[in-house]
Amino acid sequence: MSVSDSTCRLEVRLDREDFMDQIGREQRFLLKIRNCSEQEVSGVFCFQPPLTAEPCRKKGIWLDSLASGQALEIPLTYTFNHGGRHQFCGWIEGQQVSTLWKDTVFLSGAGFYSGDTHTHSCYSDGMGTLAENRDSMLEKGHSFLYSTDHDTMEHQEGILDFHKQDESKSFLHIAGWEFTSQYGHALAYGTASPADPKRISQHGDLAGWQDFVHEMKNRNGIVFFAHPYEAPEFEFGDTVVYNIRGITGIEVWNGYNYHAINNPNRQAFHLWDKLNMAGKGHYIGNAVSDAHTAPKQGTPFIKGYLAELSTQAVHHMLKRGGFFGSNGPEIVFFMNGQGMGDTCKLTQGKMVHAQLRVFDPLGRLERITLLRGKIHGEKMQEVLHATPQGETEGTLWEKDWHFDVAPGEFYRVEVLSEMGTASYNRDLKKQEKGFAFSNPIWVEDECSNPLGTHWGHD
């Protein structure tokens, strides 16, 4: 793989030496950097391992006037204690945009996997084939893809053929569908037969939507409302979004037209928080690309812990909210050992032990915010605000602390960085901001009854 800018051209390769699909084993690599230009290249090549690698610190490699045709070979050793697709990044110092290079290694087993759960192909109104969409996901370092074409499952046969013929890619492709009514869209994961979208007869049809949700739940479906504020003519209406029962969650970041920090996605975040503060249950926030072209697949994405790379494990993660949404930055968040989507039970007093790690592979973290919501509360409260300082904090910001909480509260994290790696395109003059959000951790008394399950509430 090559990286280039207007003054130099480098060929960068990460060769695997006796690489084994084995968690916890030292893995040896050989990083090869070759000058393919006719001029000398000087500077520092920054090599950033993934957060899941040990050690994960960035390595600076002095090129020392690398002559035309000359190559450097640097032996490296890393250990991965989790499965997943682990992505390495590299760039010439100060030139992340013009020289960014990426490569991935895959280890099977329990670990952290990323993917996209709302995308389209040429089986509906998408431009990419199933194969083109998969290749785009793999290039970005993702491990699963939900193809959710509009009101059809015709793509299912092609996806099954892929699994039969090319399992060597260690990639999970799942066939799904998007319920595309004239008055709102939804995803019903885990259901194989599309419903008739004409059953929703008008704007604000709460009874029609409620019947749809109950039918999908009876089929063991996992229902997420899609892009609730994408366009006025396709909106559900406040009567529906604030009174519906039984959905698992909503898309708070739909990347088809807008970034997470722009309306209407910020409206979706506000809706999500209001639903959770209403106290009728725990609602999950999803991040999806809604991509209609191959290059847009997986921008943004979700990432969370899977016991294995399987459809059942992805569904379990979606139900409980055990993931963060992002286009680059990563979040690790625990309270009393409970992670994203979990409930923290208070056993003694109101003090909790919190652990927060935020990672940006390009070392450009700008803002980290911890938000608190409370059942029957009016708005989210900012309880922690950090502005990382220096190169080290800009890459990996960590905080381990104790603070007081109360039953009925929930906490989630938002992160902003200078540039997202998943949405990166060196041909564009303006790069998209990096952003990530966690699903909440809820706080309850040890003896209290939960307000509802994670996957819908009747």
Side-chain angles (χ1 to χ4, degrees):
M1 189 178 295
S2 310
V3 295
S4 63
D5 65 10
S6 60
T7 60
C8 72
R9 182 171 179 83
L10 296 179
E11 181 183 74
V12 183
R13 292 178 54 190
L14 186 65
D15 289 351
R16 287 73 161 156
E17 295 191 337
D18 303 320
F19 185 83
M20 295 182 64
D21 185 1
Q22 185 175 342
I23 296 172
R25 178 186 183 273
E26 284 193 345
Q27 307 280 4
R28 292 183 298 165
F29 301 89
L30 190 63
L31 180 65
K32 298 179 179 179
I33 305 173
R34 181 173 177 268
N35 181 4
C36 298
S37 73
E38 297 180 357
Q39 302 174 349
E40 283 189 352
V41 177
S42 298
V44 178
F45 185 79
C46 301
F47 183 75
Q48 178 62 62
L51 181 60
T52 46
E54 180 60 42
C56 72
R57 63 181 178 271
K58 184 179 73 176
K59 186 177 183 65
I61 300 163
W62 288 94
L63 300 181
D64 291 332
S65 300
L66 194 67
S68 176
Q70 186 178 358
L72 295 177
E73 295 187 353
I74 301 97
L76 300 167
T77 302
Y78 294 101
T79 301
F80 303 93
N81 293 318
H82 300 282
R85 190 161 264 108
H86 310 277
Q87 187 168 76
F88 295 85
C89 293
W91 63 91
I92 297 175
E93 189 173 52
Q95 302 176 43
Q96 284 98 324
V97 172
S98 59
T99 68
L100 184 62
W101 161 91
K102 296 183 287 185
D103 197 6
T104 61
V105 297
F106 179 85
L107 287 168
S108 59
F112 296 91
Y113 294 83
S114 62
D116 195 345
T117 60
H118 181 173
T119 71
H120 298 278
S121 74
C122 56
Y123 280 88
S124 60
D125 60 347
M127 301 293 290
T129 66
L130 296 174
E132 288 169 342
N133 290 350
R134 281 192 297 269
D135 289 344
S136 178
M137 291 290 288
L138 284 164
E139 186 275 330
K140 297 181 181 75
H142 299 315
S143 295
F144 61 88
L145 172 65
Y146 231 120
S147 288
T148 53
D149 282 302
H150 296 282
D151 307 309
T152 183
M153 287 288 285
E154 291 183 2
H155 51 293
Q156 185 172 33
E157 184 176 350
I159 290 173
L160 291 175
D161 287 343
F162 162 73
H163 287 298
K164 293 174 183 176
Q165 298 171 9
D166 200 355
E167 295 180 355
S168 63
K169 288 188 176 180
S170 301
F171 187 83
L172 177 65
H173 199 164
I174 313 171
W177 54 281
E178 180 179 5
F179 180 69
T180 315
S181 88
Q182 188 176 347
Y183 306 102
H185 298 183
L187 285 303
Y189 303 111
T191 57
S193 300
D196 182 1
K198 294 181 181 178
R199 64 191 294 170
I200 305 299
S201 60
Q202 60 185 349
H203 182 76
D205 184 3
L206 178 60
W209 274 108
Q210 199 63 75
D211 287 344
F212 168 79
V213 172
H214 284 321
E215 181 182 327
M216 295 304 106
K217 286 190 66 179
N218 288 337
R219 296 195 213 169
N220 295 316
I222 307 163
V223 181
F224 276 77
F225 274 2
H227 44 71
Y229 300 106
E230 179 68 23
E233 63 268 29
F234 300 128
E235 288 183 9
F236 302 86
D238 286 350
T239 300
V240 174
V241 295
Y242 284 108
N243 294 283
I244 194 73
R245 305 297 299 275
I247 65 170
T248 302
I250 63 173
E251 293 177 355
V252 295
W253 184 358
N254 182 292
Y256 179 67
N257 278 325
Y258 301 96
H259 192 281
I261 60 178
N262 299 123
N263 282 325
N265 284 322
R266 291 318 300 180
Q267 289 179 270
F269 272 93
H270 178 71
L271 168 64
W272 179 37
D273 289 332
K274 292 288 284 186
L275 290 175
N276 280 319
M277 286 189 287
K280 296 179 181 178
H282 298 170
Y283 293 88
I284 308 306
N286 201 5
V288 303
S289 73
D290 195 1
H292 287 62
T293 63
K296 279 284 291 179
Q297 306 284 316
T299 59
F301 59 87
I302 60 173
K303 188 171 185 178
Y305 186 84
L306 301 181
E308 60 181 3
L309 184 59
S310 69
T311 301
Q312 182 180 8
V314 171
H315 287 172
H316 180 67
M317 181 178 68
L318 287 169
K319 287 179 181 179
R320 59 179 287 268
F323 58 88
F324 61 86
S326 180
N327 66 357
E330 302 194 18
I331 300 171
V332 180
F333 180 37
F334 289 96
M335 291 172 57
N336 284 357
Q338 301 301 307
M340 292 173 279
D342 291 335
T343 298
C344 174
K345 294 282 190 176
L346 297 178
T347 56
Q348 295 181 350
K350 296 182 179 180
M351 185 77 71
V352 295
H353 177 206
Q355 297 166 295
L356 178 58
R357 304 179 80 201
V358 179
F359 173 73
D360 183 75
L362 300 184
R364 294 184 168 191
L365 288 171
E366 294 182 343
R367 187 178 73 221
I368 298 160
T369 307
L370 177 64
L371 298 165
R372 176 183 63 211
K374 187 173 179 62
I375 292 174
H376 306 312
E378 292 297 321
K379 62 180 181 179
M380 301 293 287
Q381 301 287 330
E382 187 178 292
V383 295
L384 182 149
H385 180 93
T387 304
Q389 301 294 320
E391 185 177 357
T392 300
E393 279 197 351
T395 299
L396 180 59
W397 186 93
E398 300 178 279
K399 187 174 178 63
D400 190 310
W401 78 112
H402 293 78
F403 66 97
D404 286 337
V405 300
E409 294 177 343
F410 59 92
Y411 292 81
R412 64 177 185 84
V413 181
E414 289 191 4
V415 175
L416 188 70
S417 70
E418 188 174 333
M419 188 178 93
T421 53
S423 56
Y424 160 80
N425 185 335
R426 72 166 58 91
D427 296 326
L428 298 179
K429 292 182 179 180
K430 184 179 180 181
Q431 298 299 323
E432 190 174 82
K433 282 281 190 180
F435 184 83
F437 70 92
S438 76
N439 265 291
I441 299 175
W442 283 271
V443 180
E444 294 178 0
D445 277 326
E446 183 181 30
C447 59
S448 67
N449 292 319
L451 293 168
T453 62
H454 291 289
W455 49 88
H457 330 287
D458 293 323

